[in-house]
Amino acid sequence: MKHMILITMFIILILSGCTKPRLYPAFMDYSKPGVDLLGVKKAMLECGAVSVRPTQHSYEAVGLYEIDERSNHHFLVVLCMEREGFEYRHGTVEQACLRGSRMHFSACQPNPPIPERSIETRLNSHHCKVLSVTPAHCLP
């Protein structure tokens, strides 16, 4: 009986690690001296982020269904943000590319196709189009 309880607890522990929820929104991952949270949100969307709080649904809504597609897209957004002078709290894309099997991502190749920051991209983003109330970061 004790053995079964230990096995059950171990399985629960393993599964809880696999479903760890994000404790803060994605826009909190970036910082740049002199830029407030509104500026961070605008920059994210202008760099092509699917949302300032991306979810599986927001990725799927723009046609990114596979985890590798989502990760590559995210890496490209991070590269754009880095080029704009933002610091990403989880390290660099280069470091992320070296972890796991991600070297095949376009973001991990030499001269990656880094998106150009664009106000038009932000205003036409899925994120800004689906909200019933228009937040400040979706205004011109």
Side-chain angles (χ1 to χ4, degrees):
M1 184 65 173
K2 284 183 180 181
H3 190 225
M4 188 60 125
I5 291 172
L6 286 174
I7 290 173
T8 303
M9 288 175 60
F10 180 73
I11 290 171
I12 290 171
L13 180 64
I14 294 291
L15 291 176
S16 67
C18 293
T19 60
K20 182 172 70 173
R22 186 176 183 92
L23 300 177
Y24 51 88
F27 61 83
M28 299 295 288
D29 288 339
Y30 299 96
S31 63
K32 181 178 177 179
V35 178
D36 62 6
L37 290 179
L38 176 61
V40 172
K41 291 175 184 180
K42 285 182 174 183
M44 285 179 65
L45 294 172
E46 290 170 4
C47 280
V50 297
S51 174
V52 296
R53 296 174 181 258
T55 63
Q56 180 176 343
H57 174 72
S58 60
Y59 279 111
E60 289 175 354
V62 296
L64 298 170
Y65 299 98
E66 302 298 324
I67 190 69
D68 279 0
E69 292 175 314
R70 294 174 190 174
S71 295
N72 186 62
H73 180 83
H74 171 69
F75 286 3
L76 291 170
V77 170
V78 173
L79 287 170
C80 176
M81 294 290 284
E82 287 176 347
R83 184 180 57 212
E84 295 295 321
F86 288 86
E87 185 176 319
Y88 185 61
R89 76 184 297 177
H90 300 292
T92 66
V93 169
E94 182 180 356
Q95 293 167 334
C97 288
L98 295 174
R99 289 189 296 260
S101 57
R102 299 174 173 152
M103 291 308 293
H104 66 285
F105 289 2
S106 66
C108 298
Q109 300 297 312
N111 302 311
I114 303 171
E116 292 294 326
R117 189 171 171 184
S118 161
I119 294 171
E120 188 174 319
T121 299
R122 171 172 52 92
L123 298 177
N124 292 321
S125 68
H126 174 76
H127 173 81
C128 290
K129 287 184 175 185
V130 300
L131 299 173
S132 57
V133 176
T134 305
H137 58 271
C138 291
L139 296 173

PDB file of all heavy atoms in Angstrom, residues 115-138:
ATOM      1  N   PRO A 115      11.655  39.992 -38.049  1.00  0.00           N
ATOM      2  CA  PRO A 115      10.622  40.934 -38.496  1.00  0.00           C
ATOM      3  C   PRO A 115      11.047  42.381 -38.251  1.00  0.00           C
ATOM      4  O   PRO A 115      11.765  42.671 -37.299  1.00  0.00           O
ATOM      5  CB  PRO A 115       9.397  40.583 -37.645  1.00  0.00           C
ATOM      6  CG  PRO A 115       9.778  39.466 -36.757  1.00  0.00           C
ATOM      7  CD  PRO A 115      11.217  39.148 -36.953  1.00  0.00           C
ATOM      8  N   GLU A 116      10.607  43.256 -39.123  1.00  0.00           N
ATOM      9  CA  GLU A 116      10.826  44.695 -38.942  1.00  0.00           C
ATOM     10  C   GLU A 116       9.708  45.216 -38.054  1.00  0.00           C
ATOM     11  O   GLU A 116       8.540  44.875 -38.242  1.00  0.00           O
ATOM     12  CB  GLU A 116      10.800  45.418 -40.292  1.00  0.00           C
ATOM     13  CG  GLU A 116      11.959  45.088 -41.193  1.00  0.00           C
ATOM     14  CD  GLU A 116      13.288  45.581 -40.643  1.00  0.00           C
ATOM     15  OE1 GLU A 116      13.318  46.650 -39.981  1.00  0.00           O
ATOM     16  OE2 GLU A 116      14.293  44.879 -40.864  1.00  0.00           O
ATOM     17  N   ARG A 117      10.057  46.041 -37.105  1.00  0.00           N
ATOM     18  CA  ARG A 117       9.060  46.647 -36.222  1.00  0.00           C
ATOM     19  C   ARG A 117       8.168  47.577 -37.039  1.00  0.00           C
ATOM     20  O   ARG A 117       8.662  48.400 -37.809  1.00  0.00           O
ATOM     21  CB  ARG A 117       9.764  47.401 -35.110  1.00  0.00           C
ATOM     22  CG  ARG A 117       8.828  47.882 -34.039  1.00  0.00           C
ATOM     23  CD  ARG A 117       9.585  48.416 -32.860  1.00  0.00           C
ATOM     24  NE  ARG A 117       8.673  49.061 -31.944  1.00  0.00           N
ATOM     25  CZ  ARG A 117       9.051  49.694 -30.849  1.00  0.00           C
ATOM     26  NH1 ARG A 117      10.325  49.770 -30.538  1.00  0.00           N
ATOM     27  NH2 ARG A 117       8.153  50.253 -30.074  1.00  0.00           N
ATOM     28  N   SER A 118       6.839  47.400 -36.877  1.00  0.00           N
ATOM     29  CA  SER A 118       5.905  48.160 -37.699  1.00  0.00           C
ATOM     30  C   SER A 118       4.623  48.478 -36.924  1.00  0.00           C
ATOM     31  O   SER A 118       3.996  47.577 -36.356  1.00  0.00           O
ATOM     32  CB  SER A 118       5.570  47.341 -38.945  1.00  0.00           C
ATOM     33  OG  SER A 118       4.392  47.775 -39.554  1.00  0.00           O
ATOM     34  N   ILE A 119       4.241  49.747 -36.944  1.00  0.00           N
ATOM     35  CA  ILE A 119       2.990  50.153 -36.301  1.00  0.00           C
ATOM     36  C   ILE A 119       1.812  49.476 -37.003  1.00  0.00           C
ATOM     37  O   ILE A 119       0.857  49.042 -36.362  1.00  0.00           O
ATOM     38  CB  ILE A 119       2.835  51.691 -36.321  1.00  0.00           C
ATOM     39  CG1 ILE A 119       3.910  52.324 -35.441  1.00  0.00           C
ATOM     40  CG2 ILE A 119       1.444  52.119 -35.875  1.00  0.00           C
ATOM     41  CD1 ILE A 119       4.009  53.831 -35.549  1.00  0.00           C
ATOM     42  N   GLU A 120       1.895  49.349 -38.313  1.00  0.00           N
ATOM     43  CA  GLU A 120       0.841  48.690 -39.084  1.00  0.00           C
ATOM     44  C   GLU A 120       0.646  47.238 -38.632  1.00  0.00           C
ATOM     45  O   GLU A 120      -0.484  46.770 -38.516  1.00  0.00           O
ATOM     46  CB  GLU A 120       1.184  48.744 -40.576  1.00  0.00           C
ATOM     47  CG  GLU A 120       0.071  48.269 -41.467  1.00  0.00           C
ATOM     48  CD  GLU A 120       0.411  48.480 -42.938  1.00  0.00           C
ATOM     49  OE1 GLU A 120       0.977  49.527 -43.280  1.00  0.00           O
ATOM     50  OE2 GLU A 120       0.098  47.578 -43.718  1.00  0.00           O
ATOM     51  N   THR A 121       1.754  46.552 -38.368  1.00  0.00           N
ATOM     52  CA  THR A 121       1.670  45.164 -37.877  1.00  0.00           C
ATOM     53  C   THR A 121       0.913  45.119 -36.557  1.00  0.00           C
ATOM     54  O   THR A 121       0.069  44.253 -36.342  1.00  0.00           O
ATOM     55  CB  THR A 121       3.089  44.569 -37.704  1.00  0.00           C
ATOM     56  OG1 THR A 121       3.741  44.570 -38.970  1.00  0.00           O
ATOM     57  CG2 THR A 121       3.032  43.158 -37.150  1.00  0.00           C
ATOM     58  N   ARG A 122       1.215  46.074 -35.672  1.00  0.00           N
ATOM     59  CA  ARG A 122       0.535  46.121 -34.368  1.00  0.00           C
ATOM     60  C   ARG A 122      -0.960  46.372 -34.538  1.00  0.00           C
ATOM     61  O   ARG A 122      -1.787  45.654 -33.977  1.00  0.00           O
ATOM     62  CB  ARG A 122       1.156  47.210 -33.487  1.00  0.00           C
ATOM     63  CG  ARG A 122       0.372  47.471 -32.200  1.00  0.00           C
ATOM     64  CD  ARG A 122       1.087  48.407 -31.265  1.00  0.00           C
ATOM     65  NE  ARG A 122       1.526  49.661 -31.820  1.00  0.00           N
ATOM     66  CZ  ARG A 122       0.805  50.789 -31.796  1.00  0.00           C
ATOM     67  NH1 ARG A 122      -0.403  50.805 -31.257  1.00  0.00           N
ATOM     68  NH2 ARG A 122       1.292  51.898 -32.307  1.00  0.00           N
ATOM     69  N   LEU A 123      -1.304  47.386 -35.306  1.00  0.00           N
ATOM     70  CA  LEU A 123      -2.712  47.758 -35.453  1.00  0.00           C
ATOM     71  C   LEU A 123      -3.534  46.684 -36.169  1.00  0.00           C
ATOM     72  O   LEU A 123      -4.729  46.546 -35.915  1.00  0.00           O
ATOM     73  CB  LEU A 123      -2.831  49.094 -36.180  1.00  0.00           C
ATOM     74  CG  LEU A 123      -2.188  50.287 -35.467  1.00  0.00           C
ATOM     75  CD1 LEU A 123      -2.298  51.537 -36.317  1.00  0.00           C
ATOM     76  CD2 LEU A 123      -2.787  50.497 -34.083  1.00  0.00           C
ATOM     77  N   ASN A 124      -2.885  45.916 -37.048  1.00  0.00           N
ATOM     78  CA  ASN A 124      -3.575  44.844 -37.777  1.00  0.00           C
ATOM     79  C   ASN A 124      -3.402  43.474 -37.139  1.00  0.00           C
ATOM     80  O   ASN A 124      -3.797  42.468 -37.732  1.00  0.00           O
ATOM     81  CB  ASN A 124      -3.089  44.802 -39.232  1.00  0.00           C
ATOM     82  CG  ASN A 124      -3.527  46.026 -39.998  1.00  0.00           C
ATOM     83  OD1 ASN A 124      -4.642  46.508 -39.825  1.00  0.00           O
ATOM     84  ND2 ASN A 124      -2.652  46.552 -40.828  1.00  0.00           N
ATOM     85  N   SER A 125      -2.810  43.436 -35.961  1.00  0.00           N
ATOM     86  CA  SER A 125      -2.569  42.148 -35.301  1.00  0.00           C
ATOM     87  C   SER A 125      -3.883  41.486 -34.889  1.00  0.00           C
ATOM     88  O   SER A 125      -4.886  42.150 -34.617  1.00  0.00           O
ATOM     89  CB  SER A 125      -1.691  42.342 -34.066  1.00  0.00           C
ATOM     90  OG  SER A 125      -2.394  43.051 -33.057  1.00  0.00           O
ATOM     91  N   HIS A 126      -3.846  40.182 -34.868  1.00  0.00           N
ATOM     92  CA  HIS A 126      -5.011  39.410 -34.416  1.00  0.00           C
ATOM     93  C   HIS A 126      -5.394  39.860 -33.004  1.00  0.00           C
ATOM     94  O   HIS A 126      -6.566  40.035 -32.695  1.00  0.00           O
ATOM     95  CB  HIS A 126      -4.691  37.914 -34.447  1.00  0.00           C
ATOM     96  CG  HIS A 126      -5.771  37.067 -33.867  1.00  0.00           C
ATOM     97  ND1 HIS A 126      -6.945  36.802 -34.552  1.00  0.00           N
ATOM     98  CD2 HIS A 126      -5.886  36.451 -32.670  1.00  0.00           C
ATOM     99  CE1 HIS A 126      -7.722  36.051 -33.792  1.00  0.00           C
ATOM    100  NE2 HIS A 126      -7.097  35.826 -32.652  1.00  0.00           N
ATOM    101  N   HIS A 127      -4.400  40.073 -32.178  1.00  0.00           N
ATOM    102  CA  HIS A 127      -4.623  40.493 -30.787  1.00  0.00           C
ATOM    103  C   HIS A 127      -5.494  41.749 -30.729  1.00  0.00           C
ATOM    104  O   HIS A 127      -6.466  41.805 -29.988  1.00  0.00           O
ATOM    105  CB  HIS A 127      -3.274  40.746 -30.115  1.00  0.00           C
ATOM    106  CG  HIS A 127      -3.367  41.328 -28.745  1.00  0.00           C
ATOM    107  ND1 HIS A 127      -3.615  40.568 -27.641  1.00  0.00           N
ATOM    108  CD2 HIS A 127      -3.243  42.608 -28.309  1.00  0.00           C
ATOM    109  CE1 HIS A 127      -3.637  41.348 -26.573  1.00  0.00           C
ATOM    110  NE2 HIS A 127      -3.422  42.587 -26.949  1.00  0.00           N
ATOM    111  N   CYS A 128      -5.158  42.752 -31.526  1.00  0.00           N
ATOM    112  CA  CYS A 128      -5.903  44.013 -31.485  1.00  0.00           C
ATOM    113  C   CYS A 128      -7.263  43.911 -32.171  1.00  0.00           C
ATOM    114  O   CYS A 128      -8.184  44.642 -31.817  1.00  0.00           O
ATOM    115  CB  CYS A 128      -5.076  45.135 -32.100  1.00  0.00           C
ATOM    116  SG  CYS A 128      -3.652  45.600 -31.070  1.00  0.00           S
ATOM    117  N   LYS A 129      -7.393  43.008 -33.116  1.00  0.00           N
ATOM    118  CA  LYS A 129      -8.654  42.888 -33.847  1.00  0.00           C
ATOM    119  C   LYS A 129      -9.728  42.114 -33.087  1.00  0.00           C
ATOM    120  O   LYS A 129     -10.910  42.349 -33.297  1.00  0.00           O
ATOM    121  CB  LYS A 129      -8.410  42.226 -35.198  1.00  0.00           C
ATOM    122  CG  LYS A 129      -7.708  43.143 -36.171  1.00  0.00           C
ATOM    123  CD  LYS A 129      -7.575  42.496 -37.520  1.00  0.00           C
ATOM    124  CE  LYS A 129      -6.987  43.483 -38.501  1.00  0.00           C
ATOM    125  NZ  LYS A 129      -6.949  42.962 -39.847  1.00  0.00           N
ATOM    126  N   VAL A 130      -9.344  41.205 -32.195  1.00  0.00           N
ATOM    127  CA  VAL A 130     -10.349  40.359 -31.538  1.00  0.00           C
ATOM    128  C   VAL A 130     -10.836  40.904 -30.204  1.00  0.00           C
ATOM    129  O   VAL A 130     -11.804  40.394 -29.658  1.00  0.00           O
ATOM    130  CB  VAL A 130      -9.841  38.907 -31.331  1.00  0.00           C
ATOM    131  CG1 VAL A 130      -9.506  38.266 -32.652  1.00  0.00           C
ATOM    132  CG2 VAL A 130      -8.665  38.867 -30.381  1.00  0.00           C
ATOM    133  N   LEU A 131     -10.191  41.930 -29.683  1.00  0.00           N
ATOM    134  CA  LEU A 131     -10.596  42.460 -28.380  1.00  0.00           C
ATOM    135  C   LEU A 131     -11.863  43.302 -28.512  1.00  0.00           C
ATOM    136  O   LEU A 131     -11.998  44.095 -29.431  1.00  0.00           O
ATOM    137  CB  LEU A 131      -9.468  43.301 -27.787  1.00  0.00           C
ATOM    138  CG  LEU A 131      -8.160  42.540 -27.537  1.00  0.00           C
ATOM    139  CD1 LEU A 131      -7.070  43.511 -27.110  1.00  0.00           C
ATOM    140  CD2 LEU A 131      -8.357  41.469 -26.485  1.00  0.00           C
ATOM    141  N   SER A 132     -12.776  43.096 -27.574  1.00  0.00           N
ATOM    142  CA  SER A 132     -14.030  43.849 -27.626  1.00  0.00           C
ATOM    143  C   SER A 132     -13.834  45.290 -27.154  1.00  0.00           C
ATOM    144  O   SER A 132     -14.538  46.192 -27.570  1.00  0.00           O
ATOM    145  CB  SER A 132     -15.108  43.153 -26.794  1.00  0.00           C
ATOM    146  OG  SER A 132     -14.669  42.997 -25.468  1.00  0.00           O
ATOM    147  N   VAL A 133     -12.871  45.505 -26.272  1.00  0.00           N
ATOM    148  CA  VAL A 133     -12.521  46.843 -25.814  1.00  0.00           C
ATOM    149  C   VAL A 133     -11.099  47.106 -26.293  1.00  0.00           C
ATOM    150  O   VAL A 133     -10.218  46.282 -26.093  1.00  0.00           O
ATOM    151  CB  VAL A 133     -12.585  46.939 -24.273  1.00  0.00           C
ATOM    152  CG1 VAL A 133     -12.122  48.293 -23.794  1.00  0.00           C
ATOM    153  CG2 VAL A 133     -13.973  46.625 -23.780  1.00  0.00           C
ATOM    154  N   THR A 134     -10.855  48.230 -26.917  1.00  0.00           N
ATOM    155  CA  THR A 134      -9.548  48.519 -27.485  1.00  0.00           C
ATOM    156  C   THR A 134      -8.622  49.078 -26.412  1.00  0.00           C
ATOM    157  O   THR A 134      -8.836  50.182 -25.916  1.00  0.00           O
ATOM    158  CB  THR A 134      -9.664  49.525 -28.646  1.00  0.00           C
ATOM    159  OG1 THR A 134     -10.594  49.025 -29.595  1.00  0.00           O
ATOM    160  CG2 THR A 134      -8.313  49.740 -29.311  1.00  0.00           C
ATOM    161  N   PRO A 135      -7.592  48.314 -26.048  1.00  0.00           N
ATOM    162  CA  PRO A 135      -6.640  48.827 -25.057  1.00  0.00           C
ATOM    163  C   PRO A 135      -5.698  49.861 -25.688  1.00  0.00           C
ATOM    164  O   PRO A 135      -5.589  49.948 -26.915  1.00  0.00           O
ATOM    165  CB  PRO A 135      -5.859  47.572 -24.628  1.00  0.00           C
ATOM    166  CG  PRO A 135      -5.980  46.642 -25.782  1.00  0.00           C
ATOM    167  CD  PRO A 135      -7.285  46.959 -26.454  1.00  0.00           C
ATOM    168  N   ALA A 136      -5.021  50.605 -24.857  1.00  0.00           N
ATOM    169  CA  ALA A 136      -4.125  51.674 -25.327  1.00  0.00           C
ATOM    170  C   ALA A 136      -3.068  51.164 -26.292  1.00  0.00           C
ATOM    171  O   ALA A 136      -2.693  51.857 -27.232  1.00  0.00           O
ATOM    172  CB  ALA A 136      -3.470  52.376 -24.149  1.00  0.00           C
ATOM    173  N   HIS A 137      -2.583  49.934 -26.086  1.00  0.00           N
ATOM    174  CA  HIS A 137      -1.520  49.441 -26.964  1.00  0.00           C
ATOM    175  C   HIS A 137      -2.033  49.072 -28.359  1.00  0.00           C
ATOM    176  O   HIS A 137      -1.243  48.767 -29.244  1.00  0.00           O
ATOM    177  CB  HIS A 137      -0.764  48.268 -26.325  1.00  0.00           C
ATOM    178  CG  HIS A 137      -1.589  47.090 -25.953  1.00  0.00           C
ATOM    179  ND1 HIS A 137      -2.203  46.976 -24.723  1.00  0.00           N
ATOM    180  CD2 HIS A 137      -1.915  45.971 -26.632  1.00  0.00           C
ATOM    181  CE1 HIS A 137      -2.857  45.837 -24.663  1.00  0.00           C
ATOM    182  NE2 HIS A 137      -2.699  45.210 -25.822  1.00  0.00           N
ATOM    183  N   CYS A 138      -3.332  49.118 -28.572  1.00  0.00           N
ATOM    184  CA  CYS A 138      -3.907  48.857 -29.896  1.00  0.00           C
ATOM    185  C   CYS A 138      -4.403  50.128 -30.587  1.00  0.00           C
ATOM    186  O   CYS A 138      -5.007  50.069 -31.640  1.00  0.00           O
ATOM    187  CB  CYS A 138      -5.056  47.846 -29.776  1.00  0.00           C
ATOM    188  SG  CYS A 138      -4.496  46.181 -29.350  1.00  0.00           S
TER     189      CYS A 138
END
